[in-house]
Amino acid sequence: MVAVMHTDMGEVDNETVRPKVTDAKGILQQNREFLDYFWDIAKPDREIRLPAIENLIEHLKQSEKSDELKYSLKRLIDGLSHTREEARSGYSVALAQLLSIFEEISLKSTLDGIKEKHNLKTAKKKLIRNAAFGNFFGVLSLSQSSRLHKEPQVLLECVQVLQSLSQYREHLRDLPRKTIVDILSQTSTEVFEEVLFKALKSDLTSALNTPEQLELLLVAIHKFPSVLKPKKLKKLLGTTNVITEESMPKLVGVLKTAARSVKKEAVLPAVALDLLQASLREENFEMFWTEAIIKGMMSDMPGHTHYLCFRLLGAALPLLSVSQLEFVLSGDVMRHYGEHVLSAQLPDRFKFAPEMARYASEFMQSCSDADKQLAVVVGFTRLTNRGFPVVPSHWMVLEHMVPSTLQRYVEWLIEEFCNPQLDACLEFTTHRQKGNQDTAEVKGDDSMGRFRKWITQRLAFIGENHQIKKDEDLVMNITRFIFFHAFFDVKKPTSDIPETTRALLVPIDQQTRSGIASAFYSLLQSLNSMPMIGDVSETEGQNNRRILGVKADGSLWIYSLVQYAATLLNQSKHAKIIHAFSPEQREGWNSLLESVEALRKQSKKSSSPKHTAFQHLFLLIGIQMFKDPKESVELLKDLRSCMEKAQAKKSKKKKATGSKGSEEEPQWVEVVVEILLSLLSQPSRLVRNVCRVVFTRICPEVTQGALDSILNVLDPNKDEDESGVVVTDEKEKEKKKHKVDEDEDEDENEDGMDEDEEDSSSDDDDDDEGEEVEDKAMEEGGEVDQNFRLELMKVLQGQNALAEEEDGSDEDELDDEAMMKLDGSLSSLFLEQKKRIQAKKDEKDRLRREKVLVRDFKIKVLDMVEIFLNKRGSSCLVLGLVEPLLAVIENGMSSETSQQEQDYLRRAADIFRNQLCRGKYYCRDAQGREAELYEMLERLIGRAQKLTDSSVSLYYFSAALYLVKVLKGIKSEQDLTDKESAASEGRTMGNMDVERVTSCFRDALTSFMTRRKCPLTGAMFVDLFNRFPVLCVNLLDSAVENITGGLRDHQQGQACVIVLKALQSKEVKKLMSDSERTELYQKILKQITKVLESVQSKSKVFHEKMVKTLELCQFIVKTVKIQKMPVDLDVLQNVLTAMNADGCLQKSGQLEDTYWSVTKLFGVLKPKIEKVKKVVEAEDTEKTAKKKKGFLPETKKRKNRMKPTVLEGQETAATQSAEAQAAKKKKKNKKRKRQGEETAAQSPAKKAKTQQKPNKKKKKGGDEK
């Protein structure tokens, strides 16, 4: 059997038709699917290749035909040299499977066939690469067949082939050496000693020359220690060990070569890890790490050699002992890693930190030794830059820590916070910091403060991360520790308060303490939204609702902290508060505790959302007292009076007595809402979360007055003072700072490092930048401020410094004393002007910051609106939200386009559209407010017509549809019993005044159809018709009239669309009788006929109108034909026929296709246009005909001027002379053209030479002259 195979398999894949395969015995003709297996094996898709291999093997098993097996073997061997990588790997895997299953195939003959087919000596130069790959993949198939170890001689030949392929490194790289290593790992000791050792002896002897040979030696030593004993190593290398002082230079060279080889792949070379393992076996690890890694590799400039060391450090973590881990993590490799992390913060820099985090995570997952885990975490924590650890505080590696290790690590962090051991840290500075003399020396207190800040953030991360396995006691200890050091100091240690037992070595400064307070509030926010810690049974998880912010005993986290704070305040001998409470504030604190205990007792008797809401508020204000005691005391008074009113209201309801004076006072819910609004003005995530929880609990009690106070904040027509938004300039910076600290729990590693690195440059440039700003301000002020000009003129005139026009003398008019006096007055004048300009800038910045804070506050208030709509969407109070939200949207559309303004607008629009208009529940209890709703409906529709922006008009129209839905849902007083009343209810849409609503929408529809610039769109009315079929029936006549009565073509086309959507509705069909439908269809056909008769314009808008008209016409005709309605279609048919009288609709297009789809209903089909081939003219055939060789055209023949010519007159002679002149000009033009083409074809160097030649001649001529 002979099969023709292509050497260039890439060309075969690109062909659409498969090549012919000669099959003398007809095997392939018997089963065509057999050949398809090989084509699928070469496909680039892996999901196709693998099933094809399985199907081929299964087919060969079942057929048991030797011819097919031989053909398969030959075809797979031929495919090993395919030009595509996917095809080569597919044929290699298939050959390996074939050899492993059919053991009757000899490996020796297979290897000989591979060598013969892919002979490197006889292959052409272009096919050397394919032949090399053929040999390699052939040997790889033999090694993967799991039969190679049974035939040692074949194994030896395979190794020899792989050794010979090492010279084709530009194609195969290090694949042959890796395959030898894989073969060695599957070889027995006896086969290696008897067969392979002699073949590999040369490679083993020169192991210190290349990474591949060194890796081969290290694998052989690890796999066959009984063969490669120290004596044999002595003969091979000259030493009994691989890691020695003499071999260090060569090992460093090999490692550098390996680092360069994997520069693009960015992986750890296998030889590096093998060397590390060899050093551990030979007990020379410290020498290897110090000499080879630190002194050898790290001495180079930062680059691929450093990255190899970093990867080796990460890969070595699971292999080292505790002492070795401490040695490695406190050395120069870690110091260089820290420098890299800081320098990599700049954009477009390679960042190794994520890769190191993966190494550390893999180590923590695989290692269960608590000592090793603690050594690694502490080692990375001690890598600091000016006291600030390089590793981020929110390090995800901690998620894999064992609970015992976590407990020890937290204790270590607390001890380091109290008594920082900065000398034990691996401190480093970057090159930029070293070169900066101003910030090179940092005080120890600053470094200690930075270290304490980082420790606080790390403790907070441990407490708030749900993935870290921990218990409640650990979280509570962390929270108490952070709270204590944020607001208290130790006076005297006591065992009752564990935080006082550790004395601080250095007191905490104010800046550090503010950072600790921010970390505490961030942690408390996470605890309030944290599910219960610990294992919960499946039954409890299924039956009970998930409760957040609660401990296992049912108490709130924030309650436990308030109790701890009360203990600290009572233990004044042992703990001292930083900012002591005044007597009034202490009284408020005590009343707070009493109120909380009273609420807890009441909630135990009868649980009520009201009690829980008040409890949350009291606890939140209690915690806030340590941050802002003055404001918290005022809020406590208001909250306490609210609680008393709420309880008094309950008792009054029982007694059914009330007074008029109490009704005039604001209800308790309104006061609570005011308190929530005042709390939301504070930029804190904790406060925002608690306010959401509290408002959710009191939402059923919210009244119109409470809702009005919320809407007053959002009203864009009111000033800040009227809306209740108060922003003071004194607290602005503090609020901004707390917002950054609390709202954004971000990593301070990068910020801290950048600040230190840029301190010097900012200090050096402060003066220059200040001067530039002042100069610009002076310039701006000088151009604008006319008063300053007048004052300057007065000063100059007062000192006679201005030259008059009459005075033409050049002498100095002022002496030195007068000049000094003038300088003083000018300097004072300019100083006042500078202060005036700076004051204006400060005022402008203050207003801008206030605006940002107010907008942020309003975004938080929108949360309360959303909660109200979700909880009480069916309440009649929702109707009061419609117009205020629309005012917010309208004002936002016309205001500035800052990012915060867009977020505010997007949030308000989302709440209005999804929570109000499209909410699951809507107001069904608006009885008695019908008149108000009708007026609001008219206002909304009227406003929608007056706007200029269609997007805003859409929101007003959606609100109008929402009101129609509310009016439709109002129940009548008397229940409808009989069918006629039920039908009338469906006809009149409940108790709604259909005529009034219809007139409103009819006016809107008329405005849309007759006004040139109307913000309404056709989609709005389509939505109206789909949702309310009754209104659709009432408005259909107006829509039909506007098919021809519309102002422009666009409106007429939209009228067709609206009518078509209405007729397609099934509910509209049910509401109309047969006679009404027949009459309506007749009217529509008349309007359509008028439109089709007036085909004049060819504009794009007119084209779209015609398409929509024909679509409506198609629906009408089709319905009339199917339902056999008594409607006359003859006039329409005549008009349609006249439209194509001149054959203008024969082409293809949307209009033409729609037209022929309508005529098809009348039995008229689109005529088929036969394509006629163009007749080839005789001139074209003459051009294409080949010219004879040696043929010279008449224009190229030389004319004999001496030969006499027969002339018929003087005109012919003149024309002949003119033709001769034209021929000469043609020759000259052709010569010039040739010269231009030659110069264009020349290389740039030749062009330069030809252009320089005339210049040189000119120079020479000039010199000679």
Side-chain angles (χ1 to χ4, degrees):
M1 179 185 67
V2 182
V4 178
M5 300 298 295
H6 284 251
T7 57
D8 191 358
M9 298 297 290
E11 296 180 1
V12 174
D13 288 336
N14 294 330
E15 294 179 1
T16 56
V17 182
R18 296 179 179 178
K20 294 182 179 180
V21 180
T22 58
D23 184 21
K25 298 184 178 180
I27 296 173
L28 300 180
Q29 295 179 0
Q30 298 174 5
N31 190 1
R32 185 66 185 178
E33 295 180 0
F34 178 68
L35 186 62
D36 292 338
Y37 293 145
F38 301 99
W39 285 89
D40 291 340
I41 290 172
K43 291 289 180 63
D45 192 357
R46 186 172 181 270
E47 297 179 356
I48 298 177
R49 293 199 307 267
L50 295 180
I53 295 172
E54 295 177 359
N55 295 334
L56 174 63
I57 299 300
E58 190 66 26
H59 174 79
L60 293 174
K61 281 183 182 179
Q62 296 177 359
S63 64
E64 297 181 357
K65 296 180 180 179
S66 59
D67 295 335
E68 289 186 352
L69 187 60
K70 289 179 182 179
Y71 175 79
S72 300
L73 181 62
K74 187 178 184 304
R75 181 70 183 271
L76 294 177
I77 291 175
D78 293 345
L80 295 173
S81 62
H82 204 286
T83 54
R84 285 190 294 105
E85 181 181 356
E86 296 85 357
R88 290 195 298 265
S89 61
Y91 283 118
S92 175
V93 173
L95 181 59
Q97 293 293 322
L98 188 70
L99 293 175
S100 62
I101 292 175
F102 297 96
E103 296 186 357
E104 60 268 19
I105 301 176
S106 172
L107 295 183
K108 174 65 175 174
S109 61
T110 304
L111 182 59
D112 293 339
I114 293 171
K115 291 179 181 180
E116 182 181 356
K117 177 63 181 177
H118 311 293
N119 194 343
L120 291 168
K121 296 180 181 179
T122 60
K124 296 181 180 180
K125 188 176 181 180
K126 292 182 179 180
L127 301 177
I128 286 291
R129 182 177 184 273
N130 294 341
F133 273 114
N135 282 276
F136 169 72
F137 278 102
V139 175
L140 185 64
S141 301
L142 294 175
S143 64
Q144 292 175 349
S145 65
S146 68
R147 291 174 51 194
L148 198 58
H149 64 280
K150 298 178 182 179
E151 301 183 22
Q153 193 62 33
V154 180
L155 177 63
L156 178 61
E157 292 185 17
C158 289
V159 172
Q160 290 174 350
V161 171
L162 292 173
Q163 287 177 329
S164 65
L165 292 176
S166 60
Q167 59 182 326
Y168 301 101
R169 184 176 176 78
E170 67 273 13
H171 304 307
L172 302 176
R173 295 186 181 180
D174 56 346
L175 290 176
R177 294 292 177 183
K178 289 182 178 180
T179 307
I180 293 176
V181 172
D182 294 339
I183 291 174
L184 286 182
S185 61
Q186 300 174 3
T187 306
S188 62
T189 305
E190 297 177 355
V191 174
F192 174 76
E193 185 175 6
E194 296 175 0
V195 179
L196 294 182
F197 182 72
K198 294 180 181 179
L200 298 175
K201 189 174 183 180
S202 60
D203 291 334
L204 298 177
T205 304
S206 57
L208 300 180
N209 295 335
T210 62
E212 293 82 7
Q213 293 173 338
L214 180 59
E215 184 182 1
L216 185 63
L217 173 64
L218 295 174
V219 172
I221 292 174
H222 178 66
K223 180 67 177 175
F224 312 108
S226 60
V227 178
L228 295 175
K229 295 180 180 179
K231 292 182 179 180
K232 282 193 176 180
L233 285 177
K234 181 73 174 177
K235 294 179 181 179
L236 294 173
L237 303 177
T239 58
T240 56
N241 293 328
V242 178
I243 311 296
T244 59
E245 293 182 0
E246 294 80 7
S247 62
M248 280 301 165
K250 292 185 177 181
L251 292 177
V252 171
V254 170
L255 288 175
K256 289 181 179 181
T257 304
R260 287 191 295 269
S261 65
V262 296
K263 184 178 180 180
K264 292 182 179 180
E265 291 81 2
V267 295
L268 177 65
V271 65
L273 189 59
D274 291 340
L275 266 178
L276 179 70
Q277 293 174 345
S279 66
L280 292 173
R281 288 196 303 268
E282 297 175 2
E283 298 181 355
N284 291 327
F285 171 72
E286 293 187 1
M287 182 182 68
F288 166 74
W289 193 261
T290 304
E291 299 296 330
I293 302 301
I294 296 177
K295 294 182 180 180
M297 300 290 288
M298 301 304 295
S299 61
D300 289 357
M301 293 295 292
H304 49 273
T305 55
H306 284 209
Y307 299 146
L308 183 143
C309 298
F310 299 157
R311 291 188 178 96
L312 187 60
L313 170 64
L317 294 178
L319 307 175
L320 305 180
S321 62
V322 176
S323 60
Q324 290 171 344
L325 285 172
E326 294 175 352
F327 168 72
V328 168
L329 296 175
S330 61
D332 288 342
V333 177
M334 282 292 289
R335 184 176 284 107
H336 283 87
Y337 170 70
E339 294 178 2
H340 161 77
V341 171
L342 288 190
S343 62
Q345 291 178 358
L346 298 174
D348 301 331
R349 293 283 186 93
F350 172 70
K351 295 174 176 59
F352 191 81
E355 192 172 346
M356 181 63 78
R358 287 196 296 271
Y359 279 117
S361 297
E362 292 174 0
F363 164 75
M364 299 293 282
Q365 290 179 355
S366 60
C367 179
S368 59
D369 190 349
D371 295 334
K372 288 185 178 181
Q373 284 191 350
L374 184 63
V376 170
V377 177
V378 171
F380 278 98
T381 303
R382 281 179 170 165
L383 180 62
T384 59
N385 174 253
R386 297 183 176 180
F388 200 90
V390 174
V391 178
S393 58
H394 55 283
W395 208 30
M396 297 304 172
V397 177
L398 302 180
E399 296 177 357
H400 309 293
M401 290 184 69
V402 181
S404 59
T405 308
L406 182 64
Q407 181 71 36
R408 292 170 59 186
Y409 181 58
V410 169
E411 293 176 358
W412 181 84
L413 288 174
I414 293 174
E415 184 63 29
E416 287 293 317
F417 181 92
C418 298
N419 301 313
Q421 302 294 328
L422 296 179
D423 297 336
C425 294
L426 187 61
E427 182 69 23
F428 71 92
T429 54
T430 61
H431 295 290
R432 183 178 179 182
Q433 293 170 348
K434 290 177 182 177
N436 197 341
Q437 297 179 358
D438 295 337
T439 58
E441 296 181 0
V442 181
K443 295 181 181 179
D445 295 345
D446 295 340
S447 298
M448 195 172 297
R450 291 157 59 83
F451 192 49
R452 281 173 169 168
K453 279 184 181 179
W454 186 91
I455 289 176
T456 306
Q457 294 168 3
R458 173 59 64 89
L459 288 173
F461 170 72
I462 293 174
E464 66 189 13
N465 192 343
H466 309 296
Q467 304 298 328
I468 298 177
K469 297 179 181 179
K470 53 188 178 295
D471 53 4
E472 284 187 355
D473 295 336
L474 181 62
V475 177
M476 194 64 203
N477 292 337
I478 291 174
T479 311
R480 289 173 53 166
F481 177 82
I482 297 176
F483 174 77
F484 181 86
H485 290 287
F487 304 109
F488 289 88
D489 272 337
V490 180
K491 289 180 65 176
K492 185 179 179 181
T494 176
S495 59
D496 296 337
I497 305 175
E499 288 74 22
T500 60
T501 56
R502 292 186 176 90
L504 297 178
L505 184 64
V506 178
I508 303 174
D509 59 323
Q510 186 59 34
Q511 185 179 3
T512 305
R513 202 178 292 276
S514 62
I516 297 172
S518 299
F520 165 72
Y521 284 110
S522 175
L523 175 59
L524 187 57
Q525 146 65 17
S526 300
L527 293 178
N528 274 338
S529 58
M530 180 185 293
M532 191 179 301
I533 299 176
D535 296 331
V536 182
S537 61
E538 295 181 0
T539 57
E540 291 181 357
Q542 293 175 357
N543 298 331
N544 296 341
R545 188 179 179 182
R546 195 179 186 186
I547 303 175
L548 304 178
V550 179
K551 298 170 63 177
D553 58 356
S555 61
L556 298 170
W557 284 99
I558 192 171
Y559 173 75
S560 301
L561 287 172
V562 169
Q563 292 295 318
Y564 176 65
T567 304
L568 294 178
L569 291 174
N570 294 330
Q571 296 283 344
S572 58
K573 296 181 180 180
H574 303 284
K576 176 186 176 183
I577 188 171
I578 302 300
H579 302 289
F581 287 167
S582 64
E584 183 184 3
Q585 294 167 359
R586 188 58 188 265
E587 184 181 354
W589 172 262
N590 294 332
S591 65
L592 179 145
L593 295 178
E594 294 175 0
S595 302
V596 171
E597 293 300 329
L599 288 170
R600 285 175 60 84
K601 290 180 182 178
Q602 292 177 4
S603 61
K604 288 181 180 178
K605 293 179 181 179
S606 60
S607 60
S608 172
K610 187 191 306 180
H611 297 156
T612 308
F614 276 115
Q615 187 178 349
H616 268 89
L617 271 181
F618 274 117
L619 294 173
L620 175 64
I621 296 174
I623 289 296
Q624 290 291 115
M625 281 191 69
F626 295 94
K627 182 179 179 181
D628 190 0
K630 292 183 181 180
E631 186 178 355
S632 300
V633 168
E634 296 177 358
L635 292 176
L636 276 175
K637 292 179 182 179
D638 296 337
L639 187 60
R640 190 169 181 81
S641 63
C642 285
M643 187 182 69
E644 292 174 356
K645 287 181 181 179
Q647 294 175 352
K649 185 178 179 182
K650 187 175 180 180
S651 61
K652 286 178 182 178
K653 282 183 178 180
K654 291 181 180 179
K655 296 177 181 179
T657 59
S659 61
K660 295 181 180 179
S662 61
E663 293 177 358
E664 295 177 357
E665 297 180 357
Q667 297 186 11
W668 64 271
V669 178
E670 300 174 9
V671 181
V672 170
V673 170
E674 292 289 344
I675 293 173
L676 293 178
L677 292 175
S678 63
L679 288 174
L680 282 176
S681 63
Q682 302 178 11
S684 170
R685 285 191 303 163
L686 171 64
V687 174
R688 186 176 184 178
N689 186 28
V690 173
C691 289
R692 286 176 62 91
V693 173
V694 171
F695 189 74
T696 303
R697 301 292 174 88
I698 66 170
C699 213
E701 306 292 336
V702 171
T703 60
Q704 184 64 48
L707 197 60
D708 290 340
S709 61
I710 296 174
L711 297 177
N712 287 337
V713 176
L714 301 175
D715 192 355
N717 298 322
K718 293 185 179 181
D719 297 334
E720 294 178 2
D721 297 335
E722 297 178 2
S723 62
V725 182
V726 180
V727 181
T728 58
D729 190 29
E730 296 176 354
K731 298 182 180 180
E732 212 166 279
K733 294 183 180 179
E734 293 180 5
K735 289 185 177 181
K736 201 74 176 176
K737 184 177 179 182
H738 289 310
K739 183 180 178 181
V740 172
D741 292 333
E742 294 180 2
D743 283 1
E744 299 177 1
D745 184 19
E746 62 186 6
D747 180 26
E748 290 190 11
N749 186 10
E750 297 181 0
D751 297 339
M753 298 308 166
D754 291 341
E755 288 174 3
D756 283 343
E757 291 184 9
E758 297 175 2
D759 275 345
S760 61
S761 59
S762 61
D763 292 340
D764 295 339
D765 298 340
D766 275 346
D767 298 335
D768 299 337
E769 292 176 358
E771 292 176 1
E772 292 177 1
V773 171
E774 289 171 3
D775 294 339
K776 291 180 181 178
M778 291 299 295
E779 291 175 2
E780 293 174 1
E783 292 176 0
V784 177
D785 196 352
Q786 297 295 333
N787 295 327
F788 173 69
R789 288 183 177 181
L790 295 175
E791 292 178 2
L792 180 60
M793 293 289 290
K794 288 179 182 179
V795 172
L796 294 175
Q797 288 176 356
Q799 299 293 333
N800 295 325
L802 287 177
E804 297 179 357
E805 293 179 359
E806 298 176 356
D807 188 6
S809 61
D810 296 336
E811 297 179 358
D812 296 333
E813 297 180 359
L814 298 177
D815 55 3
D816 294 341
E817 184 178 354
M819 287 296 293
M820 293 295 292
K821 188 177 180 181
L822 178 62
D823 290 343
S825 58
L826 287 175
S827 63
S828 61
L829 179 62
F830 277 96
L831 183 60
E832 290 178 1
Q833 179 66 8
K834 188 191 298 184
K835 290 180 180 178
R836 197 179 298 113
I837 294 172
Q838 188 63 35
K840 289 181 180 179
K841 282 191 171 184
D842 295 341
E843 181 66 17
K844 190 175 181 180
D845 293 341
R846 185 184 67 82
L847 293 175
R848 181 181 56 81
R849 288 194 296 267
E850 285 183 2
K851 192 172 183 180
V852 170
L853 289 173
V854 169
R855 187 64 65 218
D856 185 53
F857 170 61
K858 290 186 176 182
I859 291 174
K860 295 176 184 177
V861 174
L862 283 176
D863 293 344
M864 302 175 71
V865 177
E866 184 180 13
I867 292 171
F868 184 79
L869 289 173
N870 288 330
K871 293 293 181 180
R872 298 187 62 185
S874 58
S875 172
C876 60
L877 296 177
V878 174
L879 300 174
L881 296 174
V882 176
E883 290 182 308
L885 287 177
L886 286 173
V888 171
I889 295 172
E890 183 179 355
N891 183 72
M893 288 287 192
S894 59
S895 62
E896 59 183 10
T897 58
S898 62
Q899 183 61 39
Q900 192 184 31
E901 189 70 28
Q902 291 179 5
D903 295 340
Y904 176 59
L905 174 62
R906 192 179 298 110
R907 185 95 171 95
D910 180 71
I911 291 173
F912 178 81
R913 181 175 56 252
N914 297 326
Q915 306 298 332
L916 181 62
C917 296
R918 301 178 184 174
K920 185 182 293 185
Y921 305 103
Y922 66 95
C923 177
R924 293 177 178 270
D925 188 16
Q927 191 171 0
R929 301 182 62 178
E930 291 86 350
E932 178 185 352
L933 293 177
Y934 287 125
E935 292 177 359
M936 187 188 300
L937 177 65
E938 293 171 354
R939 285 198 306 271
L940 293 177
I941 296 177
R943 183 59 182 165
Q945 300 175 44
K946 295 178 182 178
L947 293 170
T948 57
D949 192 354
S950 295
S951 58
V952 183
S953 179
L954 175 62
Y955 287 102
Y956 275 90
F957 201 85
S958 301
L961 296 183
Y962 172 76
L963 291 182
V964 173
K965 182 170 67 172
V966 173
L967 289 170
K968 179 184 175 183
I970 297 176
K971 297 180 180 179
S972 58
E973 296 180 358
Q974 298 179 355
D975 296 331
L976 301 172
T977 54
D978 54 341
K979 293 182 180 180
E980 295 179 0
S981 61
S984 64
E985 182 194 14
R987 186 75 176 179
T988 59
M989 298 179 66
N991 210 24
M992 186 178 70
D993 189 354
V994 180
E995 293 182 359
R996 186 173 180 179
V997 176
T998 303
S999 64
C1000 293
F1001 285 105
R1002 183 178 286 110
D1003 295 341
L1005 182 60
T1006 305
S1007 174
F1008 169 60
M1009 292 296 174
T1010 56
R1011 281 178 57 191
R1012 184 172 294 275
K1013 293 182 179 180
C1014 184
L1016 302 178
T1017 60
M1020 299 179 187
F1021 293 98
V1022 170
D1023 189 18
L1024 169 67
F1025 285 9
N1026 290 335
R1027 294 175 63 178
F1028 305 106
V1030 173
L1031 298 178
C1032 173
V1033 173
N1034 295 339
L1035 295 173
L1036 259 177
D1037 293 336
S1038 301
V1040 171
E1041 292 174 359
N1042 286 295
I1043 293 177
T1044 56
L1047 180 64
R1048 293 183 299 176
D1049 292 336
H1050 173 70
Q1051 279 92 336
Q1052 295 176 9
Q1054 290 297 315
C1056 294
V1057 173
I1058 293 171
V1059 173
L1060 176 60
K1061 295 296 182 182
L1063 295 179
Q1064 290 175 346
S1065 175
K1066 294 181 180 179
E1067 297 179 356
V1068 173
K1069 294 178 183 178
K1070 294 178 182 178
L1071 293 173
M1072 297 180 68
S1073 62
D1074 294 340
S1075 60
E1076 291 175 347
R1077 288 180 60 207
T1078 303
E1079 183 180 356
L1080 177 65
Y1081 277 40
Q1082 196 68 44
K1083 289 181 181 179
I1084 296 173
L1085 285 174
K1086 289 180 181 179
Q1087 298 291 332
I1088 292 174
T1089 304
K1090 292 180 181 179
V1091 173
L1092 297 179
E1093 286 176 349
S1094 61
V1095 180
Q1096 297 176 357
S1097 176
K1098 293 185 179 180
S1099 63
K1100 182 179 180 181
V1101 180
F1102 181 79
H1103 185 275
E1104 293 176 356
K1105 184 190 81 169
M1106 293 300 298
V1107 171
K1108 293 169 183 175
T1109 306
L1110 289 173
E1111 289 176 354
L1112 176 61
C1113 178
Q1114 180 183 2
F1115 178 80
I1116 294 291
V1117 174
K1118 187 175 181 180
T1119 306
V1120 169
K1121 293 275 188 181
I1122 293 175
Q1123 298 183 5
K1124 299 180 180 179
M1125 299 174 65
V1127 178
D1128 186 14
L1129 299 176
D1130 296 335
V1131 180
L1132 177 64
Q1133 186 176 2
N1134 296 333
V1135 173
L1136 290 173
T1137 306
M1139 285 179 65
N1140 194 33
D1142 55 350
C1144 60
L1145 298 175
Q1146 300 291 342
K1147 300 179 181 179
S1148 60
Q1150 186 179 10
L1151 175 62
E1152 291 78 5
D1153 295 342
T1154 311
Y1155 170 80
W1156 289 111
S1157 61
V1158 176
T1159 57
K1160 185 178 180 180
L1161 298 173
F1162 291 102
V1164 180
L1165 299 178
K1166 182 178 180 180
K1168 294 183 179 180
I1169 302 174
E1170 297 181 358
K1171 295 182 179 180
V1172 181
K1173 294 183 179 180
K1174 294 182 180 180
V1175 180
V1176 182
E1177 298 178 357
E1179 296 179 358
D1180 298 334
T1181 56
E1182 291 179 0
K1183 291 180 180 179
T1184 55
K1186 292 184 178 180
K1187 295 180 180 180
K1188 298 179 181 180
K1189 289 184 179 180
F1191 172 76
L1192 191 64
E1194 293 293 333
T1195 56
K1196 298 295 183 181
K1197 291 180 180 180
R1198 178 177 293 180
K1199 294 182 179 181
N1200 192 354
R1201 296 180 182 177
M1202 303 301 294
K1203 186 177 180 179
T1205 57
V1206 180
L1207 300 177
E1208 294 181 358
Q1210 293 179 355
E1211 294 180 0
T1212 56
T1215 54
Q1216 188 176 2
S1217 62
E1219 288 177 0
Q1221 291 178 2
K1224 288 181 180 179
K1225 288 182 180 180
K1226 236 178 190 181
K1227 287 182 180 179
K1228 289 181 181 179
N1229 292 337
K1230 286 185 178 179
K1231 286 181 180 179
R1232 290 175 184 173
K1233 209 170 188 182
R1234 284 179 189 169
Q1235 290 176 0
E1237 291 175 354
E1238 288 175 0
T1239 54
Q1242 287 176 356
S1243 62
K1246 287 185 177 181
K1247 279 186 181 181
K1249 288 181 181 179
T1250 54
Q1251 291 173 2
Q1252 289 174 2
K1253 283 179 182 180
N1255 295 335
K1256 289 182 180 179
K1257 289 180 180 179
K1258 287 181 181 179
K1259 286 182 180 179
K1260 287 180 182 180
D1263 294 339
E1264 289 174 0
K1265 289 179 181 178

